[in-house]
Amino acid sequence: MDHDFVEREQDRLLRELTGFLAIPSISALPDHATDCRRAADWLVAEFRRLGFPVVELLEGRGHPVVWAESPRVEGRPTLLVYGHYDVQPVDPLDEWVSPPFQATVRDGRLYARGAVDDKGQVFTLLKAYEAVRDADGLPPVNIRFIIEGEEESGGHAIDELLTREPERTTADAVVVADMGYYAPGLPAVYTALRGICYAEIHCRTLQRDLHSGSYGGVAPNAIETLVRILAGLKDESGEIHVPRVYKSVVPPTREELKTWKKLPFDKQEFLEHEVTGKALTGRKDFSILERIWALPTLEIHGIRGGFTGEGAKTVIPAAAVAKVSLRLVPGNTYEATLAALGKAVRRLAPRWADVEVRPVHGSDPVQVDVSHPAFGVLDEAFEEVVGKRTVSVRAGGSIPVVAKLGQGGAPVLLTGIGLPDDGLHSPNEKVDLQQVWDGIRVFGRFFEKMGENGRG
Ligand code: BES
Ligand code: MN
Ligand code: MN
């Protein structure tokens, strides 16, 4: 590996990353479809510049998938590297200290939407590749990149692609760098991701909005009806009232629970620094890590209905919608949870309400076995660069395509360079620049070591 690469090229790397982050590739918003394409094009140009002989934009129903194959080196293993170039919406915009698409350095941290989730991490892998090429532009190991543009919005392009062409997942190992360290200085690999069941609950109680004076007291209010239904889905203790959602859970093993107990965890620090609230909520009979990693949850993301503009309008709303999702853990399935949610909502709805549960997107939880030797190689790389091997943890978040990435039987290494306080999906998302520089070295060494293993 070119050991001075990072030090020598830092300014250029920062400029390039800033350019990538300047593209507002928000996959959920139709107005940003061309921006998503621009982000994909940015990657295509980058892969061409790096001398990848195969670079493709794979078109599907939504935003394109970028596919790139490094020059073939015979007798070496093949890695499949996954990432996503799309980002989350930026609202509330006025809470950003600097504009979300003008990456700004403050205190060694780079603030921008996508800084860590996931453009900054995709960039880190690209530059790791750049750093380990030899004088002829050949890498130490065969690498295929698959970078999608619909991860944040539950899109299907990559899923359909990998169903149609499963041979694309044939590899010796899959690397997914879309998460982070367990704590500063403590890198991680993930043994499970939660699944998700995202849906809208539509509630109608009247044919049209009404005057709240003339009819207030007798006419059924759609928002009131909806919030009572929502309140019935989860109680104050954090328990979800959706049939069978807990019964089907496969609890973590005793081994896992033991490892989690040993992890450093400062509740007060977590509350103040990451959660930023006054108290932690949820099921008190479980530890905090268990609540995030090993239990299903239900969250309300937004409620639409009635009058929310400036000033006052005295109205009884006829209709209301809530966006909700359940996070799913091993044992839960998307299909069963969606059906159960529909049942629960219909049971909670009073006779004056027409309710409907409309699915938005979903994926099953995944578990990965971290005993494959490739995990040992990743540990060696982390140890060499940051002085620590990885800890095995789970993630609360989801990456829908991960199950498909492992369909060819290759081990899936879920890891990354993020830090717990990066604020993914929040205003002022950031990446620690030292994490990027270290990450380039870690992944570079990982590529080299994987190549050496294949030869031996
Ligand atoms: N990178 C995250 C997933 C993640 C977050 C993994 C935290 C581990 C820890 C990913 O970009 C993400 O946000 N996924 C969405 C998927 C959803 C839209 C289907 C999520 O988890 O909400
Ligand atoms: Mn991500
Ligand atoms: Mn995300």
Side-chain angles (χ1 to χ4, degrees):
M1 179 171 184
D2 174 354
H3 279 283
D4 300 327
F5 177 81
V6 168
E7 247 152 66
R8 200 179 55 242
E9 305 289 340
Q10 235 175 60
D11 292 349
R12 170 177 67 91
L13 298 183
L14 192 54
R15 263 198 317 279
E16 288 178 2
L17 177 54
T18 300
F20 190 26
L21 291 169
I23 307 168
S25 47
I26 305 168
S27 59
L29 305 179
D31 281 355
H32 287 269
T34 46
D35 294 318
C36 290
R37 192 159 288 275
R38 279 173 57 219
D41 289 340
W42 187 96
L43 287 167
V44 166
E46 183 68 10
F47 285 121
R48 294 233 164 92
R49 199 182 64 75
L50 289 170
F52 280 63
V54 178
V55 185
E56 297 170 348
L57 263 191
L58 303 167
E59 304 288 345
R61 246 195 292 164
H63 309 306
V65 174
V66 181
W67 175 266
E69 295 177 21
S70 65
R72 177 104 205 122
V73 282
E74 283 312 318
R76 305 283 177 88
T78 298
L79 301 180
L80 178 65
V81 174
Y82 164 87
H84 62 91
Y85 64 76
D86 63 323
V87 300
Q88 284 278 321
V90 296
D91 49 284
L93 188 58
D94 57 356
E95 287 185 26
W96 286 79
V97 173
S98 50
F101 297 108
Q102 281 174 39
T104 305
V105 182
R106 287 192 295 278
D107 210 12
R109 296 158 171 160
L110 186 66
Y111 289 85
R113 174 57 88 227
V116 73
D117 186 15
D118 183 33
K119 285 171 165 173
Q121 307 216 49
V122 169
F123 183 82
T124 301
L125 286 155
L126 276 166
K127 296 301 143 178
Y129 178 89
E130 187 171 332
V132 295
R133 287 178 311 164
D134 68 13
D136 301 321
L138 294 180
V141 66
N142 294 292
I143 304 189
R144 295 168 172 181
F145 277 88
I146 185 165
I147 317 286
E148 69 159 318
E150 304 188 313
E151 196 277 338
E152 299 288 12
S153 53
H156 300 290
I158 193 170
D159 208 82
E160 286 164 3
L161 171 72
L162 296 181
T163 304
R164 219 168 44 234
E165 301 175 33
E167 63 283 359
R168 289 196 191 258
T169 58
T170 305
D172 295 288
V174 181
V175 177
V176 177
D178 190 20
M179 33 264 295
Y181 284 26
Y182 172 75
L186 197 49
V189 291
Y190 292 76
T191 59
L193 294 173
R194 287 201 287 192
I196 191 166
C197 172
Y198 202 116
E200 287 179 353
I201 302 173
H202 290 250
C203 173
R204 179 170 280 280
T205 53
L206 303 164
Q207 285 175 25
R208 57 193 162 94
D209 291 358
L210 295 175
H211 190 292
S212 68
S214 307
Y215 305 102
V218 293
N221 181 310
I223 296 180
E224 181 189 328
T225 304
L226 178 63
V227 297
R228 284 187 203 286
I229 293 170
L230 294 172
L233 288 174
K234 188 168 118 182
D235 65 31
E236 273 176 69
S237 75
E239 193 170 332
I240 304 164
H241 298 285
V242 171
R244 291 198 53 79
V245 80
Y246 291 112
K247 275 219 180 83
S248 47
V249 170
V250 178
T253 62
R254 234 185 282 145
E255 207 55 43
E256 278 180 298
L257 289 171
K258 229 168 69 194
T259 328
W260 300 353
K261 270 215 185 88
K262 279 192 239 145
L263 291 168
F265 187 83
D266 181 334
K267 195 168 157 181
Q268 207 51 34
E269 156 82 13
F270 176 71
L271 172 62
E272 279 170 30
H273 209 62
E274 286 189 58
V275 177
T276 71
K278 290 190 181 137
L280 297 173
T281 56
R283 302 194 55 184
K284 300 271 180 314
D285 41 341
F286 292 87
S287 73
I288 288 153
L289 292 180
E290 282 176 271
R291 285 180 230 167
I292 300 172
W293 293 347
L295 282 176
T297 58
L298 181 137
E299 295 298 335
I300 303 163
H301 305 294
I303 298 180
R304 191 170 69 219
F307 178 71
T308 55
E310 286 290 314
K313 179 186 180 192
T314 45
V315 67
I316 298 176
V321 183
K323 287 180 185 279
V324 304
S325 77
L326 289 110
R327 292 284 168 170
L328 313 177
V329 296
N332 295 143
T333 66
Y334 166 57
E335 289 297 335
T337 307
L338 180 63
L341 176 65
K343 216 183 244 174
V345 168
R346 282 190 299 276
R347 212 177 42 204
L348 286 162
R351 65 193 154 77
W352 58 78
D354 288 321
V355 292
E356 195 193 336
V357 173
R358 290 189 201 161
V360 178
H361 63 69
S363 63
D364 291 336
V366 289
Q367 271 184 294
V368 300
D369 174 6
V370 297
S371 63
H372 188 279
F375 289 90
V377 178
L378 183 67
D379 271 346
E380 286 173 24
F382 269 116
E383 184 151 47
E384 221 179 280
V385 178
V386 299
K388 273 269 188 227
R389 299 170 83 82
T390 61
V391 288
S392 294
V393 297
R394 289 193 187 186
S398 314
I399 306 174
V401 77
V402 165
K404 276 268 158 63
L405 291 172
Q407 70 189 350
V412 182
L413 291 85
L414 302 167
T415 188
I417 58 150
L419 289 177
D421 67 346
D422 282 345
L424 18 170
H425 299 199
S426 299
N428 304 306
E429 175 182 348
K430 59 95 173 157
V431 70
D432 223 270
L433 285 171
Q434 193 55 48
Q435 293 290 109
V436 174
W437 311 141
D438 287 350
I440 292 172
R441 296 190 180 100
V442 170
F443 292 128
R445 288 299 292 138
F446 174 71
F447 293 160
E448 289 180 337
K449 285 167 180 289
M450 286 300 286
E452 284 161 23
N453 278 8
R455 264 179 310 179

